[in-house]
Amino acid sequence: MYGAEWCGDCRRSKKLLDTLGVDYDYVDLEAVPEAAAIAEGIAGRKNIPVISFPDGAFQVEPADSELHAKLTQLGAI
């Protein structure tokens, strides 16, 4: 997951992942600004959070229901 602490959608997605006990890597774009280009390369735009999945799919600014559905599909929860 690529995000930043100032981003409300990022905090919301992180909270859902944490609540569900999902293991994930978090890249703080404030601490690692060069990773913003990686996130943009994945998503094709500058919006965050960008959440990439092991199956190669990704979501940008997902609603909790969209993120939950993807995690269910992957068997992560």
Side-chain angles (χ1 to χ4, degrees):
M1 175 178 166
Y2 298 86
E5 291 304 314
W6 51 261
C7 168
D9 287 334
C10 299
R11 291 192 307 271
R12 181 181 44 75
S13 291
K14 274 182 71 175
K15 182 178 178 181
L16 179 63
L17 293 170
D18 292 341
T19 299
L20 295 173
V22 175
D23 186 32
Y24 65 97
D25 294 321
Y26 179 73
V27 180
D28 183 348
L29 298 178
E30 292 277 302
V32 189
E34 62 273 14
I38 298 169
E40 185 177 355
I42 293 168
R45 55 187 181 164
K46 295 182 183 282
N47 304 63
I48 54 174
V50 175
I51 304 171
S52 58
F53 300 98
D55 67 355
F58 67 90
Q59 293 181 339
V60 181
E61 297 180 309
D64 284 352
S65 59
E66 295 168 325
L67 181 53
H68 194 281
K70 182 61 180 176
L71 296 170
T72 300
Q73 176 195 16
L74 292 172
I77 54 173

